[in-house]
Amino acid sequence: MSDATAPPAPFRRAVASLSAVRPRPELVVAGLDAPPRMAPYSWALRVEADIGHRGDGHDDLDEPDTSGRLILLHDPAGQDRWAGTFRFVCFVQARLEPEQLDDELLPVVGWSWLTDALAQSGAAHVALGGTVTQTSSVRFGDIAGPRCDDVEIRASWTPEDDPADLGRHAEAFFALITSAAGLPPVDVRTLTPRSG
């Protein structure tokens, strides 16, 4: 790759910082092709979570309880609506219990999962905005299946951290997925009844 086509150094540092973050074992992370027309440079990952996932590669995540995408955009010239040269975009979808669908506070709680995660990770940011949507769908025909109730979080924000420190934003995204999936904090173990 020639110097003319190589991504700029700040973008390379940002990607290295994000790629260095290791999530908890219940989160399965994979690279993702980023949308090509949103910015001159982009990078993305996808995450799937399952409460029963052990992190040993033997779990079936065809129907994950919670999944999400994190995209990093970079425009060296900057964009006015970003208020910077980098922009994060994320999408999270989490399965709900049927009784949660009518909870009027759920959108507020869902948004707090993101804002709390950014604050607790120390991910400095500006221009944060997004939506929280409760959905219910039933599949028919060849894709017939049970009714699915979900909460969807879409958000974007501009990081204020140095590109080499953007790993904090990946940590915040993983924390958002963790909250949406209902996983306990890392130091807390769920109680299971003893057999016998």
Side-chain angles (χ1 to χ4, degrees), residues 3-14:
D3 289 343
T5 58
F11 180 74
R12 295 197 307 268
R13 289 196 299 272

Side-chain angles (χ1 to χ4, degrees), residues 16-40:
S17 176
L18 293 165
S19 300
V21 177
R22 297 290 172 251
R24 58 192 288 170
E26 298 93 340
L27 303 184
V28 179
V29 180
L32 184 67
D33 289 335
R37 289 189 275 272
M38 296 176 71

Side-chain angles (χ1 to χ4, degrees), residues 70-180:
L70 180 67
I71 302 168
L72 174 68
L73 306 174
H74 178 54
D75 186 340
Q79 295 191 19
D80 291 340
R81 67 181 186 273
W82 292 3
T85 59
F86 285 94
R87 186 80 175 164
F88 281 105
V89 178
C90 80
F91 170 77
V92 174
Q93 183 177 43
R95 186 126 340 123
L96 295 174
E97 297 299 326
E99 61 272 12
Q100 291 178 293
L101 196 63
D102 295 324
D103 185 350
E104 294 180 359
L105 291 178
L106 184 61
V108 175
V109 171
W111 189 250
S112 74
W113 294 336
L114 172 60
T115 56
D116 290 350
L118 288 167
Q120 291 169 6
S121 299
H125 62 279
V126 295
L128 171 65
T131 62
V132 179
T133 308
Q134 294 159 275
T135 67
S136 180
S137 60
V138 179
R139 294 176 289 183
F140 297 95
D142 289 346
I143 61 167
R147 170 177 162 154
C148 293
D149 299 314
D150 300 293
V151 61
E152 297 177 350
I153 302 166
R154 291 175 172 82
S156 62
W157 64 92
T158 297
E160 291 189 306
D161 298 296
D162 183 274
D165 291 329
L166 292 191
R168 298 172 187 174
H169 297 265
E171 291 171 5
F173 178 68
F174 294 147
L176 167 60
I177 293 283
T178 297
S179 295

